[in-house]
Amino acid sequence: MAISSTIQQIQDVVEYLEPRLPKKPEIAIILGSGLGEFVHAIKNPTLIPYGEIPHFQKTSVEGHGGTLVIGELNGVVVACLQGRWHFYEGHSMDSIVLPTRAMAALGAHTLFVTNAAGGVNLGFKSGELMIIEDHINMMGDNPLTGKESALFGPRFPDMSEAYSRDCIQILENHAKAKMIPHKKGVYIGLRGPTYETPAEVKMLRTLGGDAVGMSTVPEAIAARHLGMRVTGISVITNMASGIEQKTLDHSEVQETANRVMASLTDLIISSLPEISRSATQQKSHSALIR
Ligand code: HPA
């Protein structure tokens, strides 16, 4: 898409949302498959269905809600994207990262990504949380491809700290204190929509992956490009193909995600104030793209 339309779309979203938001969001949270229930923890929520927001797409995947929920969690103003749209649904990278860019333009300094993922690391168990330390982009595309304006960020953005080290430490401390089973690791993003073959899973392990999924990477790239901090958690909803002697289906992913919702919610809520406080002065995106 031409860069001018990308900017126009962000402006349309910001113009629509700004008057409807009770407060400026500090942290944008993207909720993955089966994790939408998280929003029930939000105090005094303002709910805006995606269908009402310009250029937002319907989420066609079961377990993905399709509502923006804004409110307070443990004293922190959050904007929760309950559901995302995916590359495998045929959406462009530009469209997939629109909510992230719009949240940055509205003032969010940190992007908190969540997703359902398959465990690639043989030391992982289904139902565990993985604090994302880094990612490998194997989606065969990048949201920054094309003629990008200098308004967005550098042509060759640094990705040496794609996931904030401070946030990883904070999440780890809170997970330990709450005795929530967790791991840390590298998320590999693939295009999907097929689950992997056992041979592919072996390859992903050899390449240094700990978990595999079909999302998150575009949003993390777009956020870092804008100078937002990124942090995230994968819910290991299943062991990836070929590790256990069974077939994979989406209902298993949803069931496990629902089962670990409580500990995920607990961990995020308890970590949010510290994550928010640890944000250093970010450059103002709103000034840049409005
Ligand atoms: N592979 C890819 N994506 C996934 C998986 C998986 O095993 N589980 C949940 N999302």
Side-chain angles (χ1 to χ4, degrees):
M1 189 187 292
I3 187 71
S4 54
S5 348
T6 303
I7 293 173
Q8 187 59 53
Q9 290 198 349
I10 298 167
Q11 281 172 345
D12 292 345
V13 177
V14 170
E15 267 166 36
Y16 180 82
L17 289 178
E18 208 159 43
R20 290 166 175 81
L21 301 189
K23 283 186 183 160
K24 184 178 102 161
E26 297 169 60
I27 299 184
I29 305 178
I30 302 180
L31 300 171
S33 278
L35 303 172
E37 295 293 308
F38 176 86
V39 299
H40 297 312
I42 296 179
K43 301 258 157 53
N44 304 321
T46 299
L47 281 76
I48 306 172
Y50 285 1
E52 291 178 10
I53 307 173
H55 316 295
F56 269 43
Q57 306 292 322
K58 289 210 176 62
T59 58
S60 64
V61 187
E62 242 179 274
H64 286 265
T67 312
L68 175 66
V69 186
I70 295 139
E72 278 191 36
L73 268 180
N74 212 356
V76 178
V77 184
V78 296
C80 267
L81 292 143
Q82 191 194 32
R84 50 157 72 88
W85 49 98
H86 300 83
F87 203 41
Y88 60 73
E89 293 172 87
H91 299 294
S92 68
M93 282 280 166
D94 233 19
S95 166
I96 289 167
V97 302
L98 174 68
T100 298
R101 286 176 169 157
M103 292 306 122
L106 286 164
H109 52 66
T110 302
L111 177 71
F112 199 128
V113 287
T114 67
N115 57 54
V120 169
N121 185 318
L122 296 174
F124 284 10
K125 282 200 279 300
S126 155
E128 282 181 326
L129 303 180
M130 183 188 88
I131 300 167
I132 305 175
E133 281 187 304
D134 208 343
H135 75 218
I136 297 176
N137 179 9
M138 290 184 68
M139 298 184 90
D141 206 340
N142 187 305
L144 310 186
T145 303
K147 211 172 163 201
E148 282 290 350
S149 161
L151 290 174
F152 278 71
R155 174 73 286 191
F156 302 110
D158 173 61
M159 290 293 278
S160 57
E161 192 178 343
Y163 297 81
S164 154
R165 280 191 275 276
D166 287 347
C167 294
I168 291 169
Q169 192 59 56
I170 293 166
L171 287 171
E172 209 180 0
N173 292 346
H174 282 262
K176 275 188 192 147
K178 290 183 163 286
M179 293 195 291
I180 295 172
H182 66 282
K183 296 279 182 350
K184 285 191 294 184
V186 173
Y187 175 91
I188 298 194
L190 301 188
R191 286 171 95 106
T194 44
Y195 288 119
E196 302 68 40
T197 64
E200 286 165 345
V201 171
K202 255 189 219 164
M203 172 191 74
L204 298 176
R205 194 176 307 120
T206 308
L207 292 178
D210 296 295
V212 59
M214 305 172 195
S215 67
T216 298
V217 166
E219 295 101 316
I221 291 173
R224 291 301 294 137
H225 186 219
L226 286 167
M228 280 176 113
R229 281 187 324 169
V230 179
T231 191
I233 297 177
S234 292
V235 175
I236 305 300
T237 50
N238 56 279
M239 288 309 286
S241 166
I243 297 176
E244 291 170 350
Q245 296 316 307
K246 58 180 186 181
T247 56
L248 294 183
D249 70 72
H250 187 56
S251 57
E252 178 188 351
V253 168
Q254 282 181 279
E255 271 162 34
T256 315
N258 288 332
R259 186 158 51 79
V260 294
M261 238 356 275
S263 51
L264 178 75
T265 304
D266 196 18
L267 175 56
I268 296 180
I269 291 178
S270 78
S271 313
L272 277 181
E274 221 176 306
I275 288 179
S276 183
R277 278 196 302 276
S278 73
T280 47
Q281 212 50 50
Q282 308 281 313
K283 71 182 178 189
S284 163
H285 315 298
S286 23
L288 287 175
I289 45 189
R290 252 186 291 163

